[in-house]
Amino acid sequence: MENKFDEVVEKLRFLDGVTKKSAKRMAIDLVNKNNKIENAQEALDIIKNDLGQCPTCFYMTIDNVCPICSDPDRDKNLIAVVSTMSDAMTIEEIHDYNGAYAVLNGEINLSKNITPDKLTIDKLFNRTNKNTELILALNSTFNGELTANYIRDIARQRGIKYTRLARGIPVGGVLDYVDEKTLSDALKNRKKDD
Amino acid sequence: MENKFDEVVEKLRFLDGVTKKSAKRMAIDLVNKNNKIENAQEALDIIKNDLGQCPTCFYMTIDNVCPICSDPDRDKNLIAVVSTMSDAMTIEEIHDYNGAYAVLNGEINLSKNITPDKLTIDKLFNRTNKNTELILALNSTFNGELTANYIRDIARQRGIKYTRLARGIPVGGVLDYVDEKTLSDALKNRKKDD
């Protein structure tokens, strides 16, 4: 019997943040609830038609406009380098950062064959000049550090200033789960990285 | 900027098993990934067109067929009373139960104004006769017990047999953390170990 239901679960569980159990719960919740199905369909339509990724900084665009790159008050020489759109949005939520972003779309991960060329690192260095400061706001994990080191090496060769978030981020901590106060302090106390 | 994105998150997070954080992660994951959006749209189409709820037992139907009620080998006099479709599916997964179900579509919850008439309890008692055994497989929580008591009272009045799931120490359970009632029941119902 479970064929079509299992198919639904398989189609939902590949999404970020969705486990097999939560995919099942979502699917069961949607059965016989036409208003919930419509809501979800509308959400997908908005994502498909109105949301995208900025070709410059890879932050989320709405109706093809990047709220960061299009804002003249943002300091474009200050670039926070983050691994995901979600991390950039987490920094936005502290309402305390006035620079730009470079979303890498991932981290270097050699065991998963994610080499530096799979990320947006070349696009990042197209934007840098002698006045640029890169804030390395990457996860304090093995692959996060690996990615930060790689970018630091290029920046050093090119004479570009780089800093990292203050050690307010606990070792092994994932940026997405850090509270706002810690993140805000870590931004303010960012250190020259050497 | 966040308006349309927030709208998407709001439309996704009302689903069972989805938190605000996981709704955000899902939405970000879907941006710019047309194949993932299509997969999710297909999942919604299958749910909308092919899945439903049995008008007799309220288990999930596929193409309007209930796999439980339509199975002649199932004992229709043995009815496991569960609060959700999901609970019935969990029991199905042990492949060890050959009776039918009565999915109540919730639990009595007086603070949320979920009174017995909001559940499928009347439909359940339309299916009972003197040979019926109701297995009360409800949650061992305040509202689960309240619901079980309510059904037990009706069954008693009508002379219908009822049982409940055994209480005991779960596999992997630590004795020190088991409450007194469970431990007391587990002692009374102790089994010869062989």
Side-chain angles (χ1 to χ4, degrees), chain A residues 11-184:
Chain A
K11 280 176 190 293
L12 294 177
R13 72 178 281 208
F14 66 92
L15 284 168
D16 228 27
V18 178
T19 61
K20 186 165 184 179
K21 191 159 202 88
S22 59
K24 276 188 186 181
R25 288 181 64 184
M26 282 167 62
I28 289 172
D29 190 31
L30 286 163
V31 169
N32 271 5
K33 297 193 188 102
N34 280 323
N35 60 329
K36 288 198 175 194
I37 293 177
E38 269 166 39
N39 254 316
Q41 280 171 329
E42 283 164 19
L44 292 175
D45 286 343
I46 294 172
I47 295 171
K48 192 172 186 174
N49 300 325
D50 306 333
L51 304 184
Q53 222 179 353
C54 174
T56 302
C57 75
F58 301 94
Y59 191 76
M60 187 181 288
T61 58
I62 296 192
D63 297 325
N64 293 317
V65 175
C66 173
I68 312 296
C69 293
S70 70
D71 184 344
D73 294 332
R74 289 272 185 165
D75 181 356
K76 304 300 190 305
N77 281 324
L78 189 60
I79 302 179
V81 180
V82 292
S83 70
T84 64
M85 233 190 234
S86 176
D87 287 342
M89 292 174 88
T90 302
I91 292 176
E92 280 304 284
E93 278 166 14
I94 64 176
H95 301 291
D96 205 16
Y97 175 66
N98 198 38
Y101 293 98
V103 176
L104 299 181
N105 281 342
E107 292 172 335
I108 298 172
N109 186 329
L110 300 177
S111 63
K112 286 185 181 168
N113 202 28
I114 304 177
T115 44
D117 58 296
K118 306 265 168 58
L119 306 178
T120 64
I121 296 172
D122 53 337
K123 298 268 177 44
L124 160 61
F125 282 103
N126 288 342
R127 298 162 62 196
T128 55
N129 58 55
K130 65 177 174 39
N131 297 316
T132 304
E133 175 186 340
L134 299 182
I135 304 173
L136 298 170
L138 293 156
N139 290 321
S140 185
T141 56
F142 180 78
N143 288 316
E145 296 285 357
L146 189 66
T147 310
N149 285 338
Y150 181 87
I151 291 171
R152 193 157 36 220
D153 285 347
I154 300 176
R156 193 181 291 125
Q157 285 162 23
R158 302 193 183 187
I160 296 162
K161 193 177 161 195
Y162 51 88
T163 53
R164 60 164 170 71
L165 294 183
R167 291 275 180 237
I169 316 292
V171 172
V174 178
L175 206 72
D176 204 26
Y177 283 89
V178 170
D179 65 290
E180 291 180 11
K181 177 74 180 114
T182 307
L183 191 55
S184 175

Side-chain angles (χ1 to χ4, degrees), chain B residues 51-118:
Chain B
L51 304 184
Q53 221 179 354
C54 174
T56 303
C57 75
F58 301 94
Y59 191 76
M60 186 180 289
T61 57
I62 296 192
D63 298 324
N64 295 317
V65 176
C66 173
I68 312 295
C69 292
S70 69
D71 184 344
D73 294 334
R74 290 271 185 164
D75 181 355
K76 303 300 190 304
N77 281 324
L78 189 61
I79 302 179
V81 180
V82 291
S83 70
T84 64
M85 233 188 233
S86 176
D87 288 342
M89 292 173 88
T90 302
I91 293 176
E92 280 303 283
E93 278 165 15
I94 63 177
H95 301 291
D96 206 16
Y97 175 67
N98 198 39
Y101 293 98
V103 176
L104 298 180
N105 282 342
E107 292 172 336
I108 298 172
N109 186 331
L110 299 178
S111 62
K112 287 185 182 169
N113 202 27
I114 304 175
T115 44
D117 58 295
K118 306 265 169 57

